[in-house]
Amino acid sequence: MASSPDTIFEADKLLRQSLKAWTMADEDHNRLHDNKRPRPNKYSFATVLSGWSKSGIAGSAVRAEQLLNLMLDAYEVQERARAKDPKREIWLHLSPYQFSSAISAWARDFSILQDRQRMDPVERASDILNRMDHLRETYGRESVRPNTAVYNTVIRVCSSINNVKKAGRTLSLEKKIANAKLAEGIIRRMQAECKASNENARPDAWSYSGVLHAWAGASSLSTPIATERVEQILSHLERLSADSTKDSLRPNSFMYTTAMHAHSRSCKADAPEKCLALLDKMELLADSGKNPDARPTVHAYGAAINAFAKLYADYSTLRGIGVKADEILLRMKTRNIAVGTFVYNSVIIAWANSRHPHASVRAEEIVEEMKNSRSSIAAPDISTYNSLIMAYSKSRNPSAPEKAEEVLNWLEKSFLNGSSNLKPQMLSYSAVLQAWAKSGRSDAAEGAQAVLDRMQKVKQGQNGRVLAVRPASMCYDALIDALSRSGSIDAAERIKQILRFMMDQSSGGATAMEPTTRTFQAAIFGLSQQADAARGASQAEELLREMIDVHSAGKRNVRVGAVSFSSVISAYAATCTEEGARRAYDLLREMFKMYQETGDRAIKPNTITWGAVIDAFAKCNSSGSAETAERLLRSMIDLSSTPEMNDLKPNAVIFNSVLNAIAKSDDLDPSLLAQKAEAMLEEMQRLSDTGYADVRPDVISFSSVIHAHSRAGNGSRAETLLRKMYEMYEDEGVVDVKPNVVAYTSTIQAYANSSHDPTAVSKADALFNEMSERAEAGEDDVRPNAGTCAIVLKIYIRHGDTALHTKAVDLLERMSVEYKSGNKLMKPGRSILSWMLSAMEKSEDEDLLERVKVVQNGTKY
């Protein structure tokens, strides 16, 4: 049936009129022969219902279900009439196709998701299915028994609603999970009917594809069940299809690609590798002839690339994702698979997110390759250039804003003069704003403001072309980001002004200007960065309270979460005061209370939040703060063993905060504190060996324990730990524990404090020489600095005779020479020179005293 709106509306109108006439005639038997309208039949209903389903007209699903209900009401009238008079004819016949067409309309009409009534398409599809059951049970009509096509259509509603982008703004993850479970329940119902001899309801490949798609749509970082179910269902199908009688259920390219999408959306660290493994399997199955239907398409390769583009991981891992995306791109070209624009765009995004130093250069090369491809399917679109600007933005290069603006200028000019139809979008300007915000330049805020002003000017071009892009909230978010990083004295005040301006504009009807969760997060962070840490923390908390009020008032686009609380908690930690630590702890308790009352996972305290509170106590260094920090760590470990909080596992950063607090504490004897710190280091190693990979001790962990031993004067124990670090690094390949200048300096300090060790001077001297030799051999991270030299100088002077005093002055002169040669870290400080002069005066060695004075006179301050 033609799907033009006029045709469908006219056909629907005629069918309703005909149905009404024949229903009235049915009620008044004398009028049957006078009715001149054609009698509607199951085909006419099926045709119009199918037309609504395929029309794409907003509200088509409601119209289709209304028509279905009219048909069913008329049918039930006939059934009731026949119950009274068995000779009465039933002229309106039902078929599963009519129902599947009405259900299918709910899978395609996404306008209903934005409707004020917020009708649930999955609920509507389920109701239609239930009505089929009612008709079959009430009138015994097997003709309306649901078949595979009907069930598959219900599953398709679940999968479509879970995956449509517009639904992402309205469907919660909980609702998506429920939809996926319902789709899976339909499969079980079909299997049960098969066992009851209804072969027409047997699940087929489309059934399982729909369920996989529904679970993939529910996949996210916070819903691990989605990817787990996708993997389990796919494995189940692979096992089933091993039976030759069930090879029709053999996973095909769409199913494998859907699984890749599920992994990609999970944003887990292992998602890209799992996608690559699936891609390898698809190629192997297809190339070997075992499963030709598994041959990967452009969508499969695109899904694998997208998994790398979306990867959320540590810095070292991220640097390689652009290279990996390029490798997949090369595989496509090797197999002669046409590379489309969306694949190229994903590769650019992977490079943009990679933090690789040459990411923006590679992004430029890809854009040039697209331009030169002479293929319409690979031509750059506006998303290509937005991604290129994003690559500049994320490079954090000081010159990035100019490069980003150069692309924007070309887009504007090309559109206005008619040489290109690529019209700059709000996202284009937003990406340029982010380039300014992330540049780290002192003029970033002014540059961002200039771009914002430029957006608001209407630009006239040739042939009536007009370019007018109104800033939305994300643009002002970028300006707030720029101010947050500017270090400007008036940054906090300007941030508050911008937020008030956005609120005023949105109140006046400019809904696109309404502050979002991201806006409040950026503003809270910006306020927390003030030079006056206490004032910044206080103002950040005030804004957090306002954010909570806005959310409580029903604003759907403002959601209070752990990120906002963590910013305020970190701000209080930065005050390094006991009061700041207490306020941080109070906020953590408030988060727990809100989470318990609402069940909102966004507000659930996470590792970052908990770590920030522990860090607050570690930094304040007041009486009992180390003990409190350790107690919080123990609570965190206990909570992480419960199912509800199993994602609250502490990591090395949190352990390091506690170790640092213990190492610097004055609550116990230094020897006891050193023992306590080393016991915690051993605990970290045990946890790491039993599966807690994120708790593996690193150089900071060891350095903190060495510092604890240095305060206790345990030189030999400190050096033992230093040697263990090298053993783990050189023999076991644990890169994170390679000793650095801090570890060496703390060990030397331990010998400096070892008043009862007669070998302390020689051992400290040997360590210092070892540092220098390693630095000369290329280990720059152990190169001695002025702090290291100051400790060695004090050792020489304190334990000194003439020979050691001479070594002290030699070292001081070496510091001066290296400083003048460009090593700013070796600058002799005023305090060093002061006590060196004092020491040489007491030694009454005029020659050494004169040499110190020469260094003093040659050092500029």
Side-chain angles (χ1 to χ4, degrees):
M1 178 180 179
S3 59
S4 67
D6 290 344
T7 303
I8 294 169
F9 275 105
E10 184 62 26
D12 182 89
K13 178 182 176 182
L14 291 172
L15 185 58
R16 289 174 188 242
Q17 290 174 346
S18 180
L19 178 64
K20 182 179 179 180
W22 277 92
T23 301
M24 292 173 63
D26 223 11
E27 292 171 349
D28 183 357
H29 196 66
N30 295 326
R31 297 173 58 183
L32 269 174
H33 300 290
D34 298 331
N35 189 7
K36 304 300 183 182
R37 292 182 181 275
R39 186 165 66 182
N41 56 35
K42 64 179 181 181
Y43 301 109
S44 53
F45 278 102
T47 301
V48 178
L49 286 167
S50 177
W52 280 121
S53 170
K54 298 174 182 177
S55 70
I57 300 172
S60 58
V62 174
R63 297 284 298 186
E65 188 171 349
Q66 286 175 347
L67 182 60
L68 179 72
N69 288 336
L70 287 174
M71 180 189 77
L72 297 181
D73 289 344
Y75 175 80
E76 293 202 68
V77 167
Q78 293 180 53
E79 284 283 9
R80 287 192 294 270
R82 186 174 184 177
K84 295 177 182 178
D85 182 4
K87 295 181 180 180
R88 292 287 294 271
E89 175 192 7
I90 291 184
W91 50 266
L92 184 55
H93 299 284
L94 306 181
S95 73
Y97 183 74
Q98 297 160 339
F99 292 89
S100 64
S101 294
I103 294 170
S104 180
W106 285 109
R108 298 179 178 183
D109 182 11
F110 302 127
S111 65
I112 201 67
L113 295 169
Q114 308 301 323
D115 191 87
R116 289 183 180 180
Q117 296 179 11
R118 302 205 173 273
M119 299 176 72
D120 184 350
V122 175
E123 186 179 297
R124 301 309 317 133
S126 299
D127 283 351
I128 294 172
L129 187 62
N130 291 337
R131 191 154 188 187
M132 292 183 75
D133 292 336
H134 164 75
L135 290 168
R136 186 165 62 89
E137 292 168 3
T138 304
Y139 304 111
R141 297 294 182 182
E142 287 299 308
S143 62
V144 293
R145 187 169 190 170
N147 58 18
T148 299
V150 173
Y151 285 124
N152 284 355
T153 309
V154 177
I155 292 173
R156 185 156 61 88
V157 174
C158 297
S159 66
S160 298
I161 297 303
N162 272 14
N163 283 277
V164 68
K165 289 182 178 180
K166 288 182 180 179
R169 293 200 296 266
T170 56
L171 289 189
S172 65
L173 287 173
E174 290 78 7
K175 176 58 179 171
K176 288 188 175 187
I177 293 290
N179 289 347
K181 287 181 176 179
L182 190 146
E184 199 168 334
I186 295 292
I187 290 270
R188 287 192 292 271
R189 176 172 169 174
M190 295 169 76
Q191 292 169 337
E193 290 214 23
C194 281
K195 289 181 180 179
S197 302
N198 182 11
E199 283 296 317
N200 291 329
R202 182 175 296 281
D204 59 14
W206 288 106
S207 314
Y208 287 100
S209 293
V211 173
L212 286 170
H213 200 218
W215 277 116
S219 179
S220 74
L221 188 61
S222 59
T223 54
I225 185 178
T227 47
E228 289 170 7
R229 288 303 298 142
V230 167
E231 288 179 325
Q232 291 164 0
I233 293 168
L234 198 59
S235 297
H236 174 67
L237 290 173
E238 288 175 334
R239 289 192 300 272
L240 278 180
S241 60
D243 181 349
S244 59
T245 63
K246 298 179 180 179
D247 62 352
S248 63
L249 297 178
R250 187 170 54 189
N252 55 31
S253 179
F254 177 81
M255 292 180 183
Y256 283 115
T257 303
T258 300
M260 292 166 72
H261 281 304
H263 287 301
S264 174
R265 290 169 181 171
S266 76
C267 298
K268 291 182 180 177
D270 63 348
E273 295 306 323
K274 287 194 173 184
C275 286
L276 276 182
L278 284 170
L279 192 61
D280 291 340
K281 179 187 282 190
M282 293 170 74
E283 289 180 342
L284 181 62
L285 288 170
D287 293 346
S288 65
K290 292 180 178 179
N291 185 1
D293 292 336
R295 187 173 302 281
T297 65
V298 62
H299 299 289
Y301 290 99
I305 292 171
N306 204 34
F308 282 101
K310 289 183 174 181
L311 180 62
Y312 179 82
D314 58 67
Y315 179 79
S316 58
T317 304
L318 283 174
R319 291 193 68 170
I321 65 175
V323 176
K324 288 287 188 180
D326 267 350
E327 290 174 357
I328 299 171
L329 183 64
L330 181 60
R331 284 168 71 166
M332 293 181 69
K333 294 175 180 177
T334 303
R335 289 176 171 267
N336 295 319
I337 295 175
V339 182
T341 301
F342 85 95
V343 173
Y344 276 118
N345 289 351
S346 292
V347 178
I348 295 173
I349 293 170
W351 276 104
N353 291 338
S354 71
R355 303 184 187 177
H356 193 284
H358 304 302
S360 58
V361 175
R362 178 59 186 136
E364 291 172 340
E365 293 172 352
I366 295 170
V367 173
E368 285 303 311
E369 181 179 333
M370 295 171 73
K371 288 180 180 177
N372 298 330
S373 69
R374 297 180 181 178
S375 170
S376 59
I377 67 168
D381 60 12
I382 191 62
S383 294
T384 308
Y385 291 103
N386 289 347
S387 300
L388 175 60
I389 295 173
M390 187 175 73
Y392 290 133
S393 166
K394 295 196 173 186
S395 71
R396 298 181 185 273
N397 191 310
S399 64
E402 281 78 15
K403 289 191 173 184
E405 288 203 35
E406 185 179 331
V407 176
L408 182 62
N409 291 339
W410 178 83
L411 286 170
E412 287 183 342
K413 182 179 178 181
S414 300
F415 174 74
L416 291 172
N417 66 23
S419 62
S420 170
N421 289 322
L422 301 181
K423 185 176 183 179
Q425 302 170 329
M426 192 259 293
L427 287 174
S428 313
Y429 291 93
S430 177
V432 176
L433 284 163
Q434 283 294 339
W436 278 108
K438 295 177 180 178
S439 67
R441 287 167 42 169
S442 58
D443 62 342
E446 286 66 31
Q449 184 66 62
V451 174
L452 204 55
D453 294 341
R454 168 182 175 179
M455 285 182 73
Q456 300 178 73
K457 294 180 181 178
V458 178
K459 304 170 187 69
Q460 301 287 342
Q462 297 178 6
N463 299 321
R465 292 198 170 198
V466 178
L467 181 58
V469 183
R470 291 188 176 184
S473 59
M474 68 168 62
C475 300
Y476 287 92
D477 295 348
L479 178 56
I480 292 173
D481 284 337
L483 285 165
S484 299
R485 297 180 174 95
S486 69
S488 174
I489 297 174
D490 64 342
E493 193 57 39
R494 289 178 65 184
I495 288 171
K496 287 189 282 187
Q497 289 174 358
I498 292 168
L499 191 57
R500 298 297 162 223
F501 171 74
M502 294 175 71
M503 288 179 172
D504 291 342
Q505 290 291 304
S506 61
S507 298
T511 55
M513 290 283 289
E514 190 169 45
T516 63
T517 301
R518 175 73 179 82
T519 310
F520 277 99
Q521 288 174 347
I524 287 170
F525 176 78
L527 294 178
S528 72
Q529 298 303 297
Q530 297 179 59
D532 184 340
R535 181 181 179 184
S538 177
Q539 291 187 356
E541 185 177 358
E542 286 178 12
L543 188 53
L544 175 64
R545 300 294 167 205
E546 185 172 349
M547 184 183 185
I548 293 172
D549 291 341
V550 170
H551 173 70
S552 299
K555 294 292 184 181
R556 293 173 58 85
N557 58 349
V558 175
R559 190 177 183 186
V560 184
V563 173
S564 305
F565 269 92
S566 296
S567 292
V568 181
I569 289 171
S570 295
Y572 277 117
T575 65
C576 299
T577 63
E578 186 175 2
E579 175 60 26
R582 292 296 171 193
R583 286 298 308 132
Y585 181 60
D586 289 343
L587 286 168
L588 178 64
R589 293 177 61 187
E590 184 178 345
M591 287 182 71
F592 256 118
K593 183 180 178 182
M594 291 176 68
Y595 172 60
Q596 290 170 344
E597 290 176 349
T598 64
D600 186 354
R601 295 179 65 87
I603 198 66
K604 179 182 176 182
N606 56 30
T607 302
I608 295 172
T609 316
W610 207 281
V613 177
I614 290 174
D615 192 46
F617 281 100
K619 285 179 176 177
C620 75
N621 201 27
S622 61
S623 177
S625 60
E627 183 181 352
T628 304
E630 185 177 1
R631 189 168 64 250
L632 285 167
L633 173 62
R634 299 301 166 200
S635 298
M636 190 177 183
I637 294 172
D638 291 342
L639 281 171
S640 67
S641 64
T642 64
E644 187 180 5
M645 305 294 287
N646 61 2
D647 55 347
L648 196 62
K649 293 180 174 65
N651 53 33
V653 174
I654 294 173
F655 268 95
N656 289 346
S657 289
V658 179
L659 280 172
N660 182 50
I662 293 172
K664 295 179 178 179
S665 174
D666 294 321
D667 292 340
L668 296 173
D669 180 82
S671 295
L672 293 175
L673 290 170
Q675 293 173 18
K676 195 172 186 179
E678 189 158 352
M680 183 168 286
L681 182 69
E682 292 170 356
E683 180 184 0
M684 291 177 70
Q685 190 63 59
R686 284 196 305 274
L687 287 171
S688 175
D689 293 341
T690 55
Y692 286 75
D694 292 339
V695 183
R696 187 173 65 185
D698 57 18
V699 63
I700 298 174
S701 316
F702 277 93
S703 296
S704 293
V705 179
I706 290 173
H707 179 68
H709 281 295
S710 77
R711 293 186 67 202
N714 299 331
S716 60
R717 187 58 198 154
E719 186 172 359
T720 299
L721 289 170
L722 183 72
R723 298 306 168 200
K724 183 178 180 181
M725 293 171 72
Y726 263 119
E727 181 183 324
M728 292 174 66
Y729 170 64
E730 294 176 343
D731 298 342
E732 300 174 24
V734 184
V735 179
D736 294 341
V737 298
K738 183 183 183 299
N740 58 18
V741 65
V742 176
Y744 267 103
T745 302
S746 292
T747 306
I748 293 172
Q749 180 69 63
Y751 278 119
N753 295 341
S754 301
S755 57
H756 302 296
D757 185 352
T759 64
V761 178
S762 60
K763 288 182 176 178
D765 195 37
L767 282 169
F768 182 72
N769 290 334
E770 181 182 324
M771 289 178 74
S772 301
E773 290 170 5
R774 285 184 177 275
E776 290 304 314
E779 292 186 40
D780 283 337
D781 52 351
V782 298
R783 188 177 298 280
N785 56 32
T788 315
C789 294
I791 296 170
V792 176
L793 287 170
K794 288 181 179 179
I795 293 174
Y796 289 158
I797 297 300
R798 185 187 308 154
H799 298 84
D801 50 19
T802 302
L804 285 178
H805 285 182
T806 302
K807 288 187 73 171
V809 177
D810 289 344
L811 177 55
L812 184 66
E813 289 176 335
R814 173 185 160 185
M815 292 174 67
S816 178
V817 170
E818 289 194 24
Y819 169 63
K820 291 177 180 178
S821 300
N823 184 358
K824 302 302 180 183
L825 296 177
M826 285 291 272
K827 181 179 181 179
R830 284 193 177 94
S831 61
I832 293 176
L833 289 167
S834 177
W835 53 256
M836 279 291 291
L837 284 168
S838 177
M840 293 306 102
E841 286 172 353
K842 291 178 182 178
S843 72
E844 297 182 352
D845 189 322
E846 293 296 328
D847 182 53
L848 294 178
L849 178 61
E850 188 58 33
R851 287 169 65 186
V852 173
K853 288 181 178 179
V854 170
V855 172
Q856 182 185 44
N857 293 334
T859 305
K860 294 181 180 180
Y861 292 98

